[in-house]
Amino acid sequence: MSRDQSLPGGEPMREEAAQAVFRETPDACGAYPRLTEDQIARLAEHGQRRSMAPNDVLLREGERCETFFVVLSGTVAVVEDHGTPEERLLRVHGPGRFIGELGLLHGQVAFYTAVAREPGEVLVVSLDQLRHLVAQDSSIGDVVLRACLGRRALLVGQGAGFRIIGSRYSPDTRRLREFAIRNRLPHRWIDLETDEEAEELLRRFGVGPEETPLVIWRDTTLLRNPGNAELARLIGLPSLPAGHRHGDVLIVGSGPAGLAAAVYAASEGLSTTVVEAMATGGQAGTSSRIENLLGFPAGISGAELTERAVLQAGKFGAGISIPVEATGLHPKDADHYVVAFADGSEIAARAIVLATGARYRRLQVPGIERLEGTSVHYSATFYEAKQCRTDPVAVVGGGNSAGQAVLFLAGYAPKVHLLVRGPSLEASMSRYLIDQVERHPRVEVMLHTEVTEVTGQEALEELDLVDNRTGGHHRLAVRGLFVFTGADPHTEWLAGITALDSRGFVLTGPEAREAGAHLEVWHSRERSCMPLETSLPGVFAVGDVRSGSVKRVASAAGEGAMAIHFVHRHLEHSAAAGTTGTSAAAGSSDVSPHLRHKESAWLA
């Protein structure tokens, strides 16, 4: 270790205290479980034993995670900035523990270095074998997945990972921070306006404030105002594969509906690609706890639900690429549609599933824009909640998302004000949430209340509120504002291509077939427009983006599964009508060999 060592939580420590802290880090939050002898034995069937000497590096910061290590004897230290004056100790693992966090399961680069502290032995399991075991063996899978999620949250809390340097007033700074937060990437934001470290780093790298925002990692990599895709490649988020870009099903969007469609399509033998513009999980992925999802009586966080679904889709062979923004859709020939993307690339598929979801509406009041991303937020995750430990906050909205956010934030902030413009919570919030919100001692519900202005220079200081019955105004001192006021669909790129309702949501079924100019598309078809099918045959819409959908995680996942049932019917009808039958019979590489009838497969 260097002279500037740190305690397990990341705090600097004196050298004379160093030896005292190389004991194993306690498992205070469930992120450092010890595997049982039986679990280690099952892992050993798929791995190899390897001896280690002091200072052997098992995993190096910045390199892609490709190996899973289980400590059999000795100890392993997890450190950041290994070999530099800024090196700090994050944690120490002893026998029975494993090395790795969420990036390990997705093949991302490591955000730390794992180095042997004492001589010993480790079990080495390849990433492919680990993914197989996590998907197949629930006793191992549950332990590893939950520990990896917990460790990722701890890395975030410790300020590990890359640094974003930029002004709070910069839209590009907000963009980069939102992308990092939504993808649960460990990072630290250094505010150009208030943080003294920002000036020192700019001098060190010889760049001016006008070149910000910057992304800095390990003091060796500097990106000047990178696009989301460039940052994604740095970290190792999955990108579109090069070469052959034809397949059976292309799913645009990776919320619960899109991920469910991916699981069912890939598990039934269809070549499946998922593209996502921002982050897997959609709005559900930002939820702190979903308690009304069938099969999870104790609730489940949106992050854990998302990671489980992503692993499940990958298990069956679905490819997921981030960030890939769809910009156009058009028929290629009688067999395929082509989706174009913002980077100029295209993918052709025989069926398209639109699962782009919806985004929370931004609150349009004076003074709010400059505080978005710093003390005004449109999601409530651990990233935002850790800023609210000492100050009161407010939540705007009356739906389930607002209720979940209130309860989550009440675990951090001393006071949470729920601002609702209507006369009650019953109109759009589930009863189980209403009961918890109304009983919580740190929550105050303020009905008939709307925000008319936010004030604050470097951070939110006060809200101006109006009682919409009396017109009376009063001020509320808060340091954070969380907005959940309904959602708008991601359908700008579909305008004029497929039928939309008056609010921009995608029409499906009979309503889509009868939609004006799109009616002629069906005249040559010897079938009706199926449920979930848009005005374009073979293009389906599921989840929040669909007109008339039920805004619940369970219904979105159900629609994703049902859509694949209708995809099979579309492909079978096309083959029977002769549009794909010739190529299918010839064994074309563009056509999946799994076009057998799937009438009840999606029910399995």
Side-chain angles (χ1 to χ4, degrees), residues 301-343:
S301 72
E304 182 174 351
L305 180 66
T306 297
E307 296 303 333
R308 287 180 178 276
V310 168
L311 290 171
Q312 194 174 14
K315 162 188 169 181
F316 292 119
I320 301 177
S321 300
I322 306 169
V324 183
E325 182 182 0
T327 57
L329 167 67
H330 63 269
K332 177 185 179 183
D333 50 39
D335 294 354
H336 296 84
Y337 286 97
V338 169
V339 175
F341 304 105
D343 63 359

Side-chain angles (χ1 to χ4, degrees), residues 43 46-50 67-70 122-126:
L43 285 165
H46 303 274
Q48 296 179 336
R49 291 174 176 264
R50 179 192 301 176
T67 309
F68 180 68
F69 295 97
V70 179
V122 292
L123 177 64
V124 183
V125 181
S126 72

Side-chain angles (χ1 to χ4, degrees), residues 311-393:
L311 290 171
Q312 194 174 14
K315 162 188 169 181
F316 292 119
I320 301 177
S321 300
I322 306 169
V324 183
E325 182 182 0
T327 57
L329 167 67
H330 63 269
K332 177 185 179 183
D333 50 39
D335 294 354
H336 296 84
Y337 286 97
V338 169
V339 175
F341 304 105
D343 63 359
S345 62
E346 294 183 338
I347 294 180
R350 302 171 63 226
I352 307 293
V353 177
L354 303 175
T356 51
R359 56 175 173 266
Y360 286 114
R361 298 189 188 110
R362 280 179 147 69
L363 194 61
Q364 302 295 326
V365 297
I368 196 170
E369 186 175 350
R370 69 175 182 273
L371 298 176
E372 289 179 331
T374 56
S375 48
V376 176
H377 310 282
Y378 295 88
S379 63
T381 68
F382 174 80
Y383 295 84
E384 295 88 13
K386 68 177 184 177
Q387 304 175 28
C388 307
R389 295 186 182 276
T390 59
D391 300 307
V393 299

Side-chain angles (χ1 to χ4, degrees), residues 508-555:
T508 56
E511 290 182 322
R513 178 188 171 110
E514 300 302 320
H518 298 272
L519 182 59
E520 62 185 46
V521 177
W522 293 93
H523 286 166
S524 61
R525 299 277 170 171
E526 297 180 358
R527 65 174 178 84
S528 61
C529 182
M530 292 180 283
L532 305 184
E533 196 167 21
T534 72
S535 57
L536 298 177
V539 179
F540 302 85
V542 295
D544 288 358
V545 76
R546 189 179 67 82
S547 179
S549 66
V550 178
K551 304 300 188 284
R552 293 290 186 271
V553 172
S555 61

Side-chain angles (χ1 to χ4, degrees), residues 251-263:
I251 300 166
V252 185
S254 65
L259 291 173
V263 167

